[in-house]
């Protein structure tokens, strides 16, 4: 089915046509239509156009109004103030447009006009290290952007740029060679199970601590470990085999955490730092040959006029260190070459901590100078802020340690179980456990996604699992309430009746439902999943008002019952689709 034009776009077109007729030189001008508390919509564009044409704005507004037909789409237009247009939509147009949306599996949401290929770099844990609260935002925000962009028709390539290379692996591998009995976990087909993931990370943590202690206390071991790094970079077979075991053990753990987060991570999408090793030398050669990078104190560097250190001297992007080792920049630049050249990316999105903003600004500028990024490829960092504790400081344990992500998720599910058990009337213990996972994980995701990515936010589980306020539980409860009504409807059907007059709360709900498609397009283009969360919260709030003011199953007439069931059903479908784009489930019962 073709996409359904929104009421706003239809009204905007009518006003634009009348404006072009009244003021031909203004053809194509934007009427600046927006929602209004004085009417359904207000058009504000006439004032600036009248000033430019040296015309009286109220007279121009009156002429425009005279050229706009009313009765089918528009019920009433009035000129307000110095030349605003207050526009009211007919009840029939609202229900007919919503009926068209309801007849489409996509709720009438259009595909993007010119979809491309977006590579999203997100959820980047480090091999042999536990995932902590700092990994939460990249995973959750990135996964939501994947879903939103794919829904608009974009081809999305997921990339999990895990930290799987570097000097610590020389230390770990050398220790294991000298203590071969210490890595005894084999992994296997149970990789998705939580127990195997926890066991894998327990082994790795123990190995890391033991090898670090020896590295710090034994100079001879330190020398052997550093030599082992050289072996790893040279591809020595035994060293590579042990490195691969560390990577495999870590993946078992990563996947167990992502599974707990209700996120689907596929093996082909995991391309770590090591995946670009074969490109590093060529990347450096191309940069040096083109003059983009120059030698400075033995290192290969890229300089920028506007990047200076506290001493006023230029701070370069170091691509290759003076000892011949490669910096992060070499890997990131090689990844850009790969993603644009081999994957055909038209957009690159990096969901990375805001504290790395300078690094990525320098990397993107270097890639542009080298010609690897051009006008046909957009590269952006979707920078995110810090997760804070209730005290407004970076989230730590009481002992001052970084909070383990699995502990945080487990506690969210436990808190949610308490809420679900209090509300549950006819749920078994198994169903309560299932709902608790959906509610708890949804609460964590929503708290993150309802905040603009660039802002810090406070991690407050008590608030997150609350049934009131701007929480996922409030949205899930609204959805479950609708499902309860639909189950109780019996033989009554969900049918749109465009001939019926609507109450104010029905109109408000209907007009908001119609904005879903425009909202998704905006969230996709601005990389702003928090706008989806804000829309859904307002939708649930408007539905709560509708539910309080408009009896559904006890409405005055059978037609009114059917029409209100129709509004309930479309609200539920919009809620569940919007929540799914955020990676949050909507249980049928709560």
């Amino acid at each position: 089915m073709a996409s359904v034009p929104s009421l706003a776009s239809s009204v905007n077109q009518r006003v634009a046509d009348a404006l072009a007729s009244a003021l031909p030189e203004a053809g194509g001008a934007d009427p600046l239509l927006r929602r209004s508390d004085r009417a359904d919509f207000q058009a504000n564009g006439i004032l600036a156009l009248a000033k430019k044409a040296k015309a009286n704005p109220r007279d121009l507004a009156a002429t425009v109004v005279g050229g706009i037909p009313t009765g089918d789409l528009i019920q009433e237009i009035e000129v307000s103030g110095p030349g605003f247009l207050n526009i009211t939509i007919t009840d029939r147009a609202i229900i007919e447009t919503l009926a068209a949306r309801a007849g489409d599996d996509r709720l009438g949401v259009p595909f993007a006009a010119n979809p491309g290929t977006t590579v999203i770099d997100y959820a980047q844990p480090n091999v042999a290290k536990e995932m902590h609260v700092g990994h939460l935002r990249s995973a959750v925000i990135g996964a939501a952007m994947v879903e939103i962009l794919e829904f608009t028709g974009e081809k999305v390539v997921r990339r999990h740029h895990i930290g799987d290379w570097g000097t610590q692996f020389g230390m770990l591998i050398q220790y294991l060679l000298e203590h071969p009995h210490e890595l005894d976990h084999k992994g296997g087909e149970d990789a998705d199970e939580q127990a195997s993931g926890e066991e894998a990370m327990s082994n790795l943590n123990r190995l890391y601590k033991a090898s670090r202690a020896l590295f710090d206390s034994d100079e001879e071991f330190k020398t052997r470990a550093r030599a082992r790094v050289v072996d790893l970079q040279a591809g020595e077979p035994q060293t590579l085999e042990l490195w691969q075991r560390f990577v495999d053990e870590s993946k078992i753990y990563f996947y167990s955490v992502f599974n707990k987060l209700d996120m689907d991570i596929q093996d082909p999408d995991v391309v770590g730092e090591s995946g670009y090793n074969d490109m590093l030398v060529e990347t450096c050669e191309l940069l040096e040959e083109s003059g983009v990078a120059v030698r400075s104190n033995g290192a290969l560097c890229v300089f920028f006029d506007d990047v200076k250190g506290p001493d006023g001297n230029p701070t370069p992007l170091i691509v290759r260190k003076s000892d011949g080792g490669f910096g992060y920049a070499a890997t990131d630049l090689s990844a850009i070459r790969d993603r644009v050249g081999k994957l055909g990316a038209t957009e690159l999105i990096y969901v990375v901590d805001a504290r790395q903003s300078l690094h990525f600004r320098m990397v993107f500028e270097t890639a542009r100078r080298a010609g690897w990024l051009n006008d046909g490829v957009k590269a952006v960092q979707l920078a995110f802020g810090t997760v804070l504790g209730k005290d407004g400081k970076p989230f730590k344990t009481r002992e001052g340690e970084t909070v383990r992500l699995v502990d945080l998720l487990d506690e969210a599910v436990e808190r949610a179980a308490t809420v679900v058990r209090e509300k549950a009337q006819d749920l078994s213990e198994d169903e309560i456990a299932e709902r608790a996972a959906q509610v708890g994980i949804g609460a964590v995701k929503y708290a993150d996604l309802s905040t603009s990515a660039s802002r810090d936010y406070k991690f407050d589980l008590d608030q997150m699992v609350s049934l009131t306020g701007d929480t996922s539980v409030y949205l899930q409860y609204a959805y479950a309430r609708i499902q309860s009504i639909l189950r109780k409807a019996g033989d009554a059907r969900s049918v749109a009746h465009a001939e019926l007059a609507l109450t104010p709360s029905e109109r408000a709900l209907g007009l908001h439902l119609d904005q879903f498609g425009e909202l998704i397009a905006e969230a996709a283009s601005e990389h702003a999943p928090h706008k989806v969360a804000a829309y859904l919260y307002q939708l649930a709030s408007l539905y709560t008002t509708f539910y309080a003011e408009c009896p559904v199953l006890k409405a005055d007439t059978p037609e009114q019952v059917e029409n209100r069931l129709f509004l309930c059903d479309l609200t539920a479908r919009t809620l569940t689709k919007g929540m799914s784009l955020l990676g949050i489930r909507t249980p049928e019962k709560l």
Side-chain angles (χ1 to χ4, degrees):
M1 177 177 173
S3 62
V4 179
S6 69
L7 291 164
S9 63
S10 299
V11 171
N12 196 72
Q13 189 59 55
R14 292 225 180 156
V15 177
D17 290 346
L19 187 54
S21 178
L23 194 66
E25 60 267 35
D30 186 352
L32 301 180
L33 192 76
R34 62 176 180 82
R35 289 298 307 276
S36 171
D37 56 4
R38 297 178 179 274
D40 294 332
F41 297 99
Q42 187 175 81
N44 299 335
I46 289 176
L47 276 72
L49 291 170
K51 183 178 180 180
K52 190 175 180 179
K54 295 184 172 53
N56 182 295
R58 280 191 66 89
D59 290 346
L60 177 58
T63 303
V64 170
V65 168
I68 299 176
T70 58
D72 56 344
L73 171 65
I74 297 172
Q75 178 179 313
E76 180 184 5
I77 312 178
E78 65 168 8
V79 178
S80 172
F84 302 126
L85 300 185
N86 288 335
I87 303 167
T88 302
I89 306 298
T90 65
D91 291 347
R92 173 176 290 277
I94 292 173
I95 295 299
E96 285 179 345
T97 300
L98 294 184
R101 293 199 177 285
D104 178 29
D105 289 341
R106 293 177 50 81
L107 301 175
V109 177
F111 286 106
N114 297 297
T117 297
T118 296
V119 177
I120 301 188
D121 188 326
Y122 69 108
Q124 311 105 343
N126 293 308
V127 166
K129 293 184 181 178
E130 284 191 292
M131 292 178 68
H132 54 77
V133 67
H135 291 109
L136 178 67
R137 301 210 72 185
S138 178
V140 170
I141 295 168
M145 281 311 308
V146 167
E147 295 297 328
I148 291 168
L149 288 171
E150 285 188 334
F151 189 55
T152 66
E154 187 81 356
K155 178 185 176 183
V156 178
V157 180
R158 300 156 173 81
R159 277 293 174 266
H160 306 295
H161 191 85
I162 64 172
D164 65 351
W165 206 247
T167 54
Q168 78 267 28
F169 290 101
M171 179 183 77
L172 281 162
I173 292 167
Q174 188 62 33
Y175 182 85
L176 189 58
L177 282 169
E178 297 176 12
H179 304 79
H181 61 284
E182 296 226 12
L183 187 59
D184 52 13
H185 179 73
K186 303 298 183 186
E189 294 182 359
D190 62 348
D192 286 336
E193 295 180 11
Q194 177 185 342
S196 64
E198 291 291 333
E199 182 185 350
M201 187 44 64
S202 176
N203 272 314
L204 290 170
N205 261 346
R206 179 172 45 77
L207 279 170
Y208 186 86
K209 289 178 180 178
S211 62
R212 169 56 70 180
L214 193 58
F215 187 87
D216 291 340
S217 62
D218 187 331
E219 285 298 322
E220 291 184 1
F221 175 76
K222 183 181 290 188
T223 300
R224 295 195 299 273
R226 285 175 170 164
R228 185 61 56 182
V229 176
V230 177
D231 292 339
L232 177 62
Q233 292 174 338
E236 193 277 318
Q238 185 185 25
T239 304
L240 272 181
E241 181 184 351
L242 290 173
W243 168 80
Q244 189 64 55
R245 288 189 69 183
F246 281 117
V247 173
D248 292 343
E249 289 286 312
S250 295
K251 282 185 178 180
I252 293 170
Y253 164 72
F254 296 158
Y255 294 162
S256 74
V257 178
F258 289 131
N259 186 53
K260 192 185 289 282
L261 258 175
D262 198 16
M263 282 176 54
D264 181 30
I265 302 290
Q266 299 294 328
D267 219 45
D269 303 331
V270 181
V271 182
E273 296 168 0
S274 64
Y276 307 101
N277 283 343
D278 294 344
M279 301 177 67
L280 299 181
V281 171
E282 185 181 40
T283 294
C284 291
E285 289 175 348
L286 290 170
L287 289 171
E288 190 168 15
E289 289 168 4
S290 63
V292 172
V294 296
R295 296 277 175 177
S296 178
N297 296 322
L300 186 63
C301 304
V302 181
F303 289 91
F304 307 85
D305 292 338
D306 59 345
V307 182
K308 292 181 171 61
D311 57 2
N313 292 323
T315 300
L317 180 71
I318 301 174
V319 184
R320 193 167 195 172
K321 303 171 189 175
S322 57
D323 64 3
F326 298 100
Y328 287 121
T331 303
D332 288 333
L333 288 164
S334 297
I336 288 175
R337 291 176 56 208
D338 179 75
R339 294 166 182 182
V340 175
K342 293 182 181 177
L343 300 179
T346 51
E347 182 172 43
L348 304 174
I349 300 176
Y350 292 78
V351 189
V352 183
D353 191 312
R355 288 170 291 189
Q356 296 189 44
S357 293
L358 177 60
H359 169 78
F360 278 99
R361 180 159 69 86
M362 295 163 80
V363 165
F364 295 159
E365 173 60 23
T366 298
R368 292 212 174 276
R369 292 181 188 177
W372 303 329
L373 288 176
N374 53 44
D375 292 340
V377 185
K378 182 180 177 184
V380 295
Q381 181 195 1
L382 208 176
F384 56 81
T386 305
V387 181
L388 307 175
K390 290 183 183 181
D391 59 1
K393 298 177 182 178
F395 198 20
K396 302 282 186 182
T397 64
R398 289 180 181 176
E399 295 73 32
E401 299 290 325
T402 303
V403 179
R404 294 196 324 155
L405 185 52
V406 287
D407 292 341
L408 181 151
L409 298 177
D410 286 343
E411 186 178 356
V413 173
E414 287 175 17
R415 298 281 187 95
T418 302
V419 174
V420 173
R421 186 167 275 108
E422 287 174 358
K423 282 287 181 182
Q425 296 178 354
D426 56 349
L427 297 180
S428 67
E429 281 301 311
D430 286 346
E431 288 174 321
I432 289 174
E434 181 186 7
R435 301 297 192 280
Q438 294 173 345
V439 170
I441 299 304
V444 170
K445 289 182 176 181
Y446 186 85
D448 193 312
L449 294 168
S450 59
T451 304
S452 173
S454 61
R455 292 176 53 198
D456 300 342
Y457 79 96
K458 291 183 181 180
F459 195 93
D460 183 348
L461 276 175
D462 292 329
Q463 173 58 29
M464 288 179 187
V465 298
S466 173
L467 282 164
T468 59
D470 188 5
T471 69
S472 65
V473 191
Y474 176 67
L475 304 185
Q476 289 169 323
Y477 189 65
Y479 176 80
R481 174 185 279 166
I482 295 172
Q483 294 309 310
S484 176
I485 292 171
L486 296 176
R487 285 192 297 271
K488 293 175 182 176
D491 294 335
R493 297 176 303 145
S494 161
V495 181
H497 286 276
E499 74 279 3
L500 294 179
L502 300 177
T503 67
S505 58
E506 287 175 309
R507 288 179 57 85
L509 178 61
L511 286 165
H512 192 67
L513 283 167
D514 185 54
Q515 290 179 289
F516 186 56
E518 292 174 343
L519 177 279
I520 295 300
E522 187 177 323
S525 65
E526 296 179 13
H527 308 135
H530 71 279
K531 293 197 170 185
V532 177
Y535 170 88
L536 294 173
Y537 174 60
Q538 189 176 359
L539 177 60
S541 300
L542 289 168
Y543 179 80
T544 299
T545 302
F546 159 81
Y547 178 81
E549 296 179 357
C550 301
V552 178
L553 301 180
K554 294 183 179 179
D556 294 337
T557 67
E559 292 77 17
Q560 199 171 48
V561 169
E562 291 180 339
N563 201 56
R564 288 178 178 173
L565 283 172
F566 164 73
L567 288 172
C568 287
D569 185 51
L570 187 56
T571 299
R573 288 175 59 193
T574 305
L575 274 172
T576 197
K577 170 49 73 177
M579 294 283 268
S580 74
L581 295 179
L582 300 181
I584 301 172
R585 296 186 185 271
T586 42
E588 299 286 310
K589 295 180 182 180
L590 270 184

